[in-house]
Amino acid sequence: MLHRLPFRAMGGEMLAILEGATDSAPSILDKVPDWFEDWEQTLSRFRIDSELSRLNRTFDQPVEVSETLWDVFQYALSAETITNGLVTPTVLDAMLEAGYDQSFEDLPRLQNIYENQVLTAVNPLSLVLWDEKAQTICLPYGVHLDFGGVAKGWAAHQTVERLQEYGSVLMNAAGDIAISDSLASGEPWQIGVKNPFVKDTDFEILKLNRCGVATSGRDRRRWNQNGLLRHHIIDPHTGQPADTDVMTATVVAPTVMEAEAAAKAVLILGGEEGLRWIESDPMLAGIIVLENGHTFYSRRINQYL
Amino acid sequence: MANKPAPRNWNDIQVVIATGSMALALVLWNLFAGPDRASALKHAQEQAVLSPPQPVQEAAPVVVEVQPTLPTGPILLGGNAPQTQIIVQTGGKGGGGGNGGGGGGAPVTSTGSS
């Protein structure tokens, strides 16, 4: 029996699914929204009183951070490493420059700004100093953090870790999905891949166990700034929304955090380069939809279809 | 007695004519092309605002396999070249089937960009 709990958090739609032996859902499932609320209060850049916002208001001084923020920061470091710097939380200032300065639900879809656009590369995360023993982070002047998708992936992963002792579990955090073991029947979880061109339609189904899957795309979260269509995936080399032929990239990886980072990297790299990059890592598989409607399937994705 | 100014030769006259022509061309260009460009820019911006990219019309699922354009260059980490499949997608498959099978019930949830 699958017990589903949809709710809203982190600016998106969430869905927790727990397979239970009985008709009544385990009470632990009801706690998931509270967990997300706590994590959002720590990790959101849109809440001025969040721990992350407080950290971003400091510079050149070590700040002791909570276990949650430290953990996500460590995953952000890993994401930057595995993507060769393409996915970094230091893109916040570039994101603000591009106009993404408030929660997407409140963001004006049409913006006119009159300052000159400054094209600057994003600071690498290596400029940030941290002390593992004291669990402190020290931001240099002018560097600010936005965990974005890493935080969502981390939250999905945490939820599965906490719930899996009660049965098979799946947590979908706005498209970033963490999956525990197969269902009690031995069947894999079936996950649809959304068609970016036709609303509320899946164009593929993946059969997955104990892994993560995430999709990064520019079919949503986009706005118009001074006549230019902008989106939220920043290329750290230019400090601008990535100029790419990819509409959406879906990646399957051992964890949802890796899947999320890899999907974003593919989107920034572009279709052919992104496919090559996926193929070069034996732990990754993916589906890349280009803006012209062509779709690339990586070699290893076949095992999930 | 002051020297008599040298008479202007044909080269000087040519230079004067060329300079005058260029100045006239610039004046006319700014007079006529300028306003048009401004209105064209305005029009383009309005169009961009009024007409966000629309999803393609949903059509009956038609999947056409085309010859893959494999990436060129060195193959990373050895092994076989990626077996890329390129599908021209003209409509949604509607939650079943998929590339190489994959049916057996509706998905419990979907992944998409958030």
Side-chain angles (χ1 to χ4, degrees):
Chain A
M1 179 77 189
L2 294 180
H3 304 290
R4 304 166 69 96
L5 178 69
F7 62 98
R8 240 192 121 65
M10 297 183 170
E13 299 295 334
M14 307 283 155
L15 175 65
I17 307 178
L18 178 61
E19 185 180 37
T22 60
D23 283 352
S24 58
S27 57
I28 186 81
L29 195 59
D30 295 331
K31 293 184 179 167
V32 177
D34 295 337
W35 299 341
F36 271 79
E37 171 56 28
D38 287 348
W39 294 328
E40 194 168 358
Q41 185 55 34
T42 301
L43 302 168
S44 174
R45 74 170 165 104
F46 299 117
R47 296 187 179 185
I48 57 168
D49 58 340
S50 73
E51 189 182 359
L52 178 65
S53 294
R54 289 201 303 274
L55 175 65
N56 277 335
R57 286 195 288 272
T58 68
F59 63 90
D60 291 343
Q61 66 179 84
V63 177
E64 192 176 338
V65 297
S66 66
E67 197 65 45
T68 296
L69 200 145
W70 180 257
D71 210 21
V72 175
F73 179 69
Q74 294 303 312
Y75 277 112
L77 288 175
S78 304
E80 196 190 53
T81 304
I82 64 171
T83 62
N84 302 318
L86 285 176
V87 177
T88 171
T90 56
V91 293
L92 176 57
D93 295 275
M95 200 103 81
L96 298 176
E97 186 90 15
Y100 193 6
D101 54 2
Q102 50 192 307
S103 176
F104 192 73
E105 291 147 326
D106 305 323
L107 193 72
R109 301 300 191 265
L110 176 60
Q111 301 175 7
N112 284 305
I113 57 168
Y114 299 100
E115 298 93 28
N116 288 329
Q117 286 280 314
V118 183
L119 296 172
T120 47
V122 170
N123 290 312
L125 194 52
S126 55
L127 289 180
V128 177
L129 303 175
W130 66 92
D131 182 335
E132 197 162 356
K133 239 179 195 172
Q135 213 160 290
T136 58
I137 296 173
C138 178
L139 300 177
Y141 182 76
V143 176
H144 306 95
L145 302 178
D146 172 26
F147 292 123
V150 174
K152 273 190 202 128
W154 177 89
H157 181 78
Q158 286 297 312
T159 305
V160 167
E161 290 281 304
R162 292 184 182 190
L163 290 179
Q164 62 185 352
E165 66 180 278
Y166 300 92
S168 283
V169 56
L170 176 151
M171 181 67 222
N172 184 346
D176 297 351
I177 302 176
I179 304 159
S180 76
D181 289 321
S182 56
L183 296 162
S185 62
E187 291 289 311
W189 293 87
Q190 299 207 29
I191 313 294
V193 180
K194 282 187 181 162
N195 186 332
F197 302 110
V198 185
K199 206 179 170 198
D200 298 329
T201 311
D202 297 329
F203 75 95
E204 202 58 88
I205 296 179
L206 301 173
K207 297 170 179 173
L208 302 171
N209 286 324
R210 185 151 284 283
C211 64
V213 59
T215 297
S216 191
R218 55 191 180 92
D219 53 327
R220 300 186 63 196
R221 286 188 200 253
R222 56 187 185 184
W223 60 96
N224 193 308
Q225 188 188 57
N226 288 5
L228 289 172
L229 204 57
R230 316 288 265 172
H231 61 86
H232 71 301
I233 309 292
I234 300 291
D235 181 347
H237 296 124
T238 63
Q240 295 289 301
D243 184 12
T244 174
D245 60 346
V246 177
M247 185 57 82
T248 59
T250 300
V251 173
V252 180
T255 68
V256 63
M257 287 86 77
E258 291 163 285
E260 200 276 335
K264 206 172 276 179
V266 169
L267 193 127
I268 294 168
L269 285 170
E272 293 202 356
E273 185 69 30
L275 180 66
R276 259 202 298 270
W277 186 73
I278 288 178
E279 298 287 18
S280 72
D281 187 333
M283 306 307 282
L284 303 179
I287 302 176
I288 305 169
V289 181
L290 305 186
E291 61 191 353
N292 64 7
H294 289 196
T295 308
F296 291 174
Y297 290 81
S298 81
R299 210 172 7 142
R300 280 176 289 273
I301 200 70
N302 285 321
Q303 63 189 300
Y304 305 118
L305 294 173
Chain B
M1 192 175 177
N3 289 338
K4 189 180 175 184
R8 286 190 174 170
N9 60 25
W10 177 236
N11 281 347
D12 290 339
I13 294 168
Q14 279 181 318
V15 168
V16 168
I17 290 171
T19 308
S21 304
M22 283 192 286
L24 185 64
L26 282 171
V27 167
L28 291 174
W29 181 278
N30 279 298
L31 214 58
F32 297 110
D36 266 4
R37 195 179 56 170
S39 67
L41 186 64
K42 193 179 166 198
H43 182 68
Q45 283 178 338
E46 284 170 357
Q47 285 300 309
V49 172
L50 293 173
S51 315
Q54 297 294 313
V56 297
Q57 287 291 315
E58 189 165 354
V62 178
V63 178
V64 183
E65 293 204 25
V66 298
Q67 198 61 28
T69 52
L70 285 176
T72 55
I75 297 165
L76 301 175
L77 302 181
N80 297 323
Q83 298 303 302
T84 307
Q85 301 167 55
I86 302 176
I87 306 295
V88 178
Q89 187 182 301
T90 57
K93 290 181 187 171
N99 181 51
V108 292
T109 187
S110 299
T111 178
S113 57
S114 57

